[in-house]
Amino acid sequence: MTIPLALPDRIPIADLAAVALLFAVWFAIGWFTERPPAGKPSVSVLMVRFRREWMLHFLSRDPRIFDGNILASLREGTAFFASACMIATGGILALIGNTEKLRGLAQELALEGGGEILWELKLVVTMFFVVNAFLKFVWSHRLFGYCAIMMAAVPNDPDDPMARDRAMQAADLNITAARSFNAGLRSVYFALGSLGWLGGPWVLMLGTAVVLFVTWRREFASTSRQVIMRSLPPPRWPDHARPPSSAPRPPQP
């Protein structure tokens, strides 16, 4: 019994190398962003510190409407990007079902062509990144919801024995949600870069290099990072949240 597979008879080596480079760079920059060298933290890692401080100051803030508004804005951002990814996925599926328009456009622009199945494969790669971004955004949205519930469970009395533990649980959920959101943004960047494959393998390599540079610069060489790093002082804990001298210091990025 044989199962026919709708694959092109031969995929050029240049195309295979370009796609392999795309996925390798996507994985590498994600790993490097979340696990940077000790002396060169990324913006994502630096913000972990401030998310913990936010939850500790949240303990004594009265009223706590300000914190709720911040969390609501974070959830709105994830919902927006998730909706955009759903629309993009529908558009890509429509193009996969009708690649004639893309082939005609490629002929008019004298771009490298290929069989119909190869065009569909190029769109599938883009759809992979869009769908991955959608899943990351949806999970981030849900985690921010968990964080909101955990914040609501923090006792109003800062001296309550459970107050600091609940605040730290909320901080950890907030950090995990932000990590998923950042991963979703990276997938969106690489989805845009993968569209270069429609112009051929060399355009895809160029697109991958551009996305890599933009992603690296925003995490390690941006103005926002300089602002965050500017005269970065030791963490300033509220008096009620200051750990005892014998307790281990909280993790720092």
Side-chain angles (χ1 to χ4, degrees):
M1 178 180 179
T2 59
I3 301 177
L5 297 176
L7 294 174
D9 296 334
R10 183 178 65 86
I11 300 179
I13 297 298
D15 289 88
L16 291 176
V19 174
L21 177 65
L22 173 70
F23 281 96
V25 169
W26 169 64
F27 177 81
I29 191 62
W31 189 91
F32 190 72
T33 298
E34 298 298 337
R35 302 169 182 82
K40 188 73 172 178
S42 62
V43 172
S44 299
V45 172
L46 287 171
M47 290 306 297
V48 169
R49 166 190 182 140
F50 292 99
R51 291 178 190 276
R52 293 188 187 278
E53 287 194 45
W54 169 22
M55 288 300 137
L56 287 173
H57 287 284
F58 160 79
L59 283 170
S60 58
R61 186 175 287 121
D62 185 27
R64 296 173 175 177
I65 298 175
F66 175 75
D67 306 277
N69 289 339
I70 294 177
L71 199 61
S73 67
L74 293 175
R75 297 196 73 193
E76 289 174 1
T78 58
F80 168 78
F81 280 105
S83 300
C85 288
M86 287 187 65
I87 296 173
T89 300
I92 294 173
L93 287 174
L95 283 175
I96 290 177
N98 184 15
T99 58
E100 290 297 329
K101 293 183 179 180
L102 284 177
R103 297 176 65 185
L105 180 62
Q107 292 175 358
E108 292 179 4
L109 298 177
L111 298 177
E112 297 184 24
E116 180 178 350
I117 302 300
L118 185 57
W119 280 106
E120 294 177 356
L121 183 61
K122 294 177 180 181
L123 292 174
V124 166
V125 171
T126 300
M127 190 172 69
F128 166 82
F129 287 107
V130 173
V131 171
N132 181 74
F134 169 76
L135 295 176
K136 294 294 185 181
F137 290 136
V138 169
W139 183 236
S140 177
H141 186 270
R142 190 169 187 179
L143 286 174
F144 279 128
Y146 292 159
C147 178
I149 295 173
M150 190 65 67
M151 289 170 65
V154 176
N156 290 329
D157 183 6
D159 297 325
D160 189 290
M162 294 298 298
R164 191 175 187 277
D165 291 338
R166 287 283 184 266
M168 286 297 92
Q169 286 178 290
D172 290 337
L173 288 172
N174 196 300
I175 292 167
T176 306
R179 188 177 295 117
S180 294
F181 182 78
N182 293 335
L185 284 180
R186 282 195 299 271
S187 291
V188 170
Y189 296 156
F190 280 92
L192 295 175
S194 68
L195 291 174
W197 198 11
L198 299 175
W202 301 110
V203 180
L204 175 58
M205 292 182 184
L206 176 61
T208 301
V210 171
V211 172
L212 174 62
F213 173 75
V214 171
T215 306
W216 174 86
R217 183 184 178 279
R218 291 184 176 181
E219 289 288 345
F220 296 97
S222 62
T223 303
S224 58
R225 184 181 183 277
Q226 295 176 4
V227 172
I228 296 172
M229 289 289 294
R230 188 171 57 202
S231 302
L232 194 65
R236 293 182 299 174
W237 311 114
D239 292 337
H240 61 79
R242 193 181 306 277
S245 57
S246 58
R249 299 184 62 185
Q252 300 295 321

